[in-house]
Amino acid sequence: NTVHTGTDAALITVENGSSSCNALRIDNRGTGNTFNFDGQFSMTADGRGLSQFTAAFWARVNMEGTFSITGSHNVSSVTDRGVGKGTANFANNLSNANYCVVGSAFSGGGENDQREFQHSNERTWSTSAWDWCTMDELETANDITGANMIGFGG
């Protein structure tokens, strides 16, 4: 194993010396502070973990009345696009639009209140936002108590 330190003591790289190197890099210089392992995982100065196996974003949104975020990661705001339609705007853009989103929806009443939650097909996948729509059991668009989403990849 080899340890390299840059001219600035805040840069440290550890390598195992092979051609398919497993390297750990810590860069604490300037505003771009990062922790990186073998190019597969990075931790940014603002606490975001960047990889294909960490959540790129997640949010829980109340769609009744004025949309409100009740919890989130990498979602800066939500936009009401009409009855049953919303947009989650990312605080930090994703690197590409090839990501997967899983979601759920619930509304007020009892356990038999069936709801659907899906990507809005009239909108294209974006690196800066994700669009969704919610419907009741009759496939009628409606605003709901909770729209939950989590996205991986991108």
Side-chain angles (χ1 to χ4, degrees), residues 5 43 67 107 129 146:
T5 57
M43 180 68 72
F67 277 26
S107 194

Side-chain angles (χ1 to χ4, degrees), residues 106-125:
F106 67 91
S107 194
E111 58 191 54
N112 295 324
D113 293 343
Q114 186 177 358
R115 298 292 182 258
E116 291 184 32
F117 176 87
Q118 64 188 36
H119 179 260
S120 292
N121 290 330
E122 80 274 7
R123 310 276 285 202
T124 59
W125 289 72

Side-chain angles (χ1 to χ4, degrees), residues 32-146:
N33 303 335
T34 61
F35 170 89
N36 182 289
F37 180 74
D38 205 19
Q40 300 298 311
F41 176 80
S42 294
M43 180 68 72
T44 63
D46 62 3
R48 291 177 297 122
L50 304 178
S51 75
Q52 292 296 78
F53 54 87
T54 57
F57 69 93
W58 66 264
R60 181 172 182 176
V61 178
N62 184 333
M63 297 174 64
E64 294 179 320
T66 301
F67 277 26
S68 62
I69 299 172
T70 55
S72 71
H73 164 68
N74 198 30
V75 174
S76 58
S77 65
V78 289
T79 304
D80 186 342
R81 297 185 301 105
V83 176
K85 296 180 180 180
T87 299
N89 302 295
F90 304 146
N92 296 282
N93 287 353
L94 307 184
S95 60
N96 63 61
N98 298 319
Y99 51 92
C100 174
V101 179
V102 177
S104 66
F106 67 91
S107 194
E111 58 191 54
N112 295 324
D113 293 343
Q114 186 177 358
R115 298 292 182 258
E116 291 184 32
F117 176 87
Q118 64 188 36
H119 179 260
S120 292
N121 290 330
E122 80 274 7
R123 310 276 285 202
T124 59
W125 289 72
S126 164
T127 59
S128 61
W130 189 73
D131 302 296
W132 78 87
C133 60
T134 57
M135 295 166 275
D136 62 19
E137 67 276 5
L138 302 174
E139 295 192 5
T140 302
N142 65 14
D143 289 344
I144 60 171
T145 306

